[in-house]
Structures are given as C-alpha cells and as structure tokens.
C-alpha cells in the first residue's frame, strides 16, 4: 500500500500584507525568498521541514522531500491537495497560501513496476475516453491519419486495444489519403499505424485486417527491432493467420517495454501538464511512421 503523510505549512494567522508575506517567504534579502514547509510523516508525530524557493525546480523539491522521507530507492513521492496532484512549485505555493492541507504519498518507482502496473496507471478513465471519441466522431470526411495522430498527441490520449479498435471502425469511413504519399500503405494500414502509436498494448492485434494480408502487423518494428510473433495476441473478436491468439497474460514474459511506457509514466508523474507523450516510441512498418507533428 501507499504511505501517506500529511503536510502542513506555517501559514500566519494574520492576513498577508503583500505577495511575499502571502506565500510565507522568510528572507532578509528580497532576492532570496523561501518558504519552510513542515511535513508530518506517518502517525508517530515525526516532522520534516523542506525549504522551498519560488525559483526552485519542482523536481529538486521532490528529490529533497524524498531523501528525508525514505531511504528506499524503489519509492518515489507524489504531492496532492484536495484530491488534486501538485506538479509545479507555483501550485505548491498557491495551495500553501490558501492554507490547504497538502499530502505526500510514497509510490513504487516506475522502474520497479511491472509493465502491467505501468499500463494500469496510464489508462484513461472510460468517461474521459468517451469525450475524446465524441469529438473525433464530429470530424468530417476528408481527414488523414496525420489528423488522427495529431489529435491524440495534442490531447495526451493513450488507448487500450479495445478503444483503438472502436476508433478504427468509427474513423475509417472519414479517412482519405495524402496528396503525395511517400509510402505504400493503404488507408486501413495508415489508420492502424496512427492508432497503434498510442496503444498501451504494443503486442495486441486489435484489427487483424490491415488491408495488406497482415503484412503491416508482421513487419511492425519498434526502435528498428521487429516484434516477431512471440507475445503477440489478438483481442476478442479478432483472428489472425500469422499470429497465435494468446491472451495478454499468457505471454507476459515475452514482452518488453518497446514503446517506452515507463518513460511516459515517469514524465507524466513529474509534470502531467507538459507533453509527456514525447517520450513515446512509435512503431514503424515498411519504413512508415505515424509519428505526430509536435506543436
């Protein structure tokens, strides 16, 4: 289980006279401002104090906090308040200024997690996915695979195989080819590559008919390494000639983190407001990549 520690701050009883007092800065020199955050760890009354300067990188604050909370290298810390994750120094100071109670939670380090645990943490709530599906359903006919990939990237959408399959059926009738294609993939294959770039299960075959006799799936590569057939599996309702219909769990030992989901999760934990999907490794097939355009 997780270890939660309540964090209280030294908010004054008098109202702040200025911005510095509002945030509880303690300084003899206006150019060196910091706030002392008192951390209550566990149930035995042990307290920790962390000095925070407004200009300090949030990662440095978290590293200092973690070093004082635990010596276990397999754990990392997360801050939250009122059920909302705190991811920036500015937000930490804002919650402090409001006198809100802030909590630190120790979680298993990403590198120590099983791949299945990483996938579960990255999964989008179904209600949130339905919202994105609705937006995409309103796209007119005439979109390309790039439009799909760019939307998913911009909105930080990661898909389960079942969700990818559903979007494929919904978007295929809207798809058109680019004017000057530099590849030999048909429309079905282009859309498969766009959606599979954001799939949480790289080894899943969620639409066996790639329009090219399963060759797009068979030749799919990550970082110039072919996935082969080991560990590949078809989701319910799909059957492929070239791949055994394994269940996801039956071949877990054959799987590697080919799309760098651990890197994605680590980037999201550090700051989900940033574009953490830049850490995602996209698949290629016949040299084709649906890697989205960065804003």
């Amino acid at each position: 289980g997780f270890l939660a520690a309540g964090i209280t701050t030294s908010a004054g009883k008098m109202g702040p006279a200025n911005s510095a007092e509002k945030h509880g800065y303690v300084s003899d020199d206006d150019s060196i401002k910091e706030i002392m955050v008192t951390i209550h760890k566990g149930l035995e009354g042990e307290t920790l104090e962390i000095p925070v300067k407004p200009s300090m990188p949030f990662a440095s604050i978290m590293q200092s906090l973690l070093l004082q909370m635990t010596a276990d290298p397999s754990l990392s810390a997360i801050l939250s308040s009122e059920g909302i994750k705190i991811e920036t120094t500015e937000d930490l100071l804002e919650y402090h200024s409001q006198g809100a109670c802030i909590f630190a939670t120790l979680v298993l380090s990403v590198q120590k997690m099983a791949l299945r645990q990483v996938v579960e943490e990255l999964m989008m709530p179904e209600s949130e996915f339905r919202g994105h599906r609705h937006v995409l359903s309103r796209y007119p006919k005439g979109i390309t695979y790039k439009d799909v990939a760019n939307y998913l990237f911009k909105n930080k959408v990661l898909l389960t195989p079942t969700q990818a399959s559903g979007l494929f059926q919904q978007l295929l009738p809207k798809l058109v080819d680019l004017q000057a294609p530099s590849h030999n993939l048909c429309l079905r294959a282009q859309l498969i590559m766009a959606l599979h770039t954001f799939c949480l299960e790289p080894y899943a075959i969620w639409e066996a008919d790639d329009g090219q006799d399963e060759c797009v799936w068979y030749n799919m590569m990550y970082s110039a390494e072919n996935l082969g057939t080991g560990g590949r599996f078809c989701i319910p309702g799909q059957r492929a000639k070239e791949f055994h219909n394994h269940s996801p769990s039956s071949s877990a030992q054959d799987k590697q983190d080919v799309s760098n989901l651990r890197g994605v999760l680590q980037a999201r934990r550090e700051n989900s407001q940033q574009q953490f999907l830049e850490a995602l490794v996209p698949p290629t097939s016949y040299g084709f990549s649906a890697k989205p355009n960065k804003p």
Side-chain angles (χ1 to χ4, degrees):
F2 295 158
L3 171 62
I7 301 179
T8 61
T9 58
S10 54
K13 296 181 180 178
M14 302 295 291
N18 53 50
S19 178
E21 288 187 24
K22 175 183 177 183
H23 288 295
Y25 298 138
V26 180
S27 175
D28 294 329
D29 184 341
D30 231 16
S31 65
I32 306 175
K33 301 175 180 179
E34 66 179 25
I35 174 177
M36 295 304 296
V37 179
T38 302
I39 303 171
H40 294 265
K41 179 183 176 183
L43 302 176
E44 299 180 359
E46 181 183 355
T47 61
L48 304 173
E49 288 195 339
I50 302 293
V52 179
K53 294 182 180 180
S55 60
M56 186 181 296
F58 189 69
S60 298
I61 297 172
M62 296 305 296
Q63 183 178 24
S64 177
L65 172 63
L66 185 62
L67 287 173
Q68 294 197 54
M69 290 184 69
T70 179
D72 188 342
S74 69
L75 298 176
S76 59
I78 292 176
L79 290 181
S80 64
S81 182
E82 300 174 355
I84 300 174
K85 186 178 177 183
I86 298 174
E87 299 174 311
T88 67
T89 303
E90 182 181 3
D91 286 347
L92 176 60
L93 293 177
E94 181 61 29
Y95 278 110
H96 161 69
S97 72
Q98 296 172 3
C101 187
I102 302 169
F103 294 92
T105 304
L106 293 178
V107 295
L108 192 62
S109 172
V110 171
Q111 297 305 319
K112 299 292 183 180
M113 295 171 67
L115 193 54
R116 169 53 54 185
Q117 294 173 303
V118 173
V119 169
E120 289 174 353
E121 187 168 336
L122 286 172
M123 278 184 184
M124 176 176 288
E126 185 62 27
S127 58
E128 187 176 348
F129 167 72
R130 285 198 297 268
H132 290 296
R133 184 178 63 190
H134 176 71
V135 172
L136 287 167
S137 72
R138 299 175 65 87
Y139 273 33
K141 181 176 175 58
I143 62 173
T144 69
Y145 76 89
K146 285 190 173 182
D147 295 316
V148 177
N150 288 340
Y151 176 88
L152 297 176
F153 180 77
K154 179 181 178 181
N155 292 280
K156 306 171 190 172
V157 179
L158 291 171
L159 304 167
T160 66
T162 300
Q163 290 169 345
S165 177
L167 286 180
F168 178 85
Q169 300 300 329
Q170 174 180 290
L171 295 174
L172 185 62
K174 302 174 182 288
L175 214 66
V176 298
D177 209 341
L178 295 174
Q179 291 297 320
S182 57
H183 54 80
N184 296 316
L185 267 60
C186 66
L187 284 178
R188 295 183 70 90
Q190 292 173 37
L191 185 55
I192 284 174
M193 292 297 293
L195 294 172
H196 202 64
T197 295
F198 300 90
C199 187
L200 289 163
E201 293 276 4
Y203 289 82
I205 309 294
W206 44 263
E207 176 55 50
D209 181 8
D210 59 17
Q212 298 186 210
D213 201 28
E214 299 178 16
C215 290
V216 173
W217 287 114
Y218 191 83
N219 289 281
M220 191 171 289
M221 307 177 77
Y222 285 84
S223 301
E225 293 289 335
N226 192 287
L227 286 185
T229 56
R232 308 290 286 277
F233 65 95
C234 292
I235 67 171
Q238 295 292 322
R239 296 189 64 84
K241 300 188 299 291
E242 299 292 337
F243 304 98
H244 298 294
N245 295 303
H246 292 301
S247 67
S249 59
S250 66
S251 52
Q253 68 274 12
D254 297 324
K255 296 182 184 179
Q256 300 177 28
D257 186 13
V258 293
S259 55
N260 193 34
L261 293 178
R262 286 189 174 90
V264 172
L265 179 56
Q266 184 62 47
R268 192 178 78 168
R269 281 186 176 182
E270 291 174 357
N271 189 349
S272 68
Q273 296 177 18
Q274 299 299 317
Q275 184 45 277
F276 52 84
L277 288 188
E278 288 185 358
L280 199 64
V281 173
T284 62
S285 188
Y286 292 106
F288 176 93
S289 171
K291 187 175 182 179
N293 299 326
K294 295 182 180 180

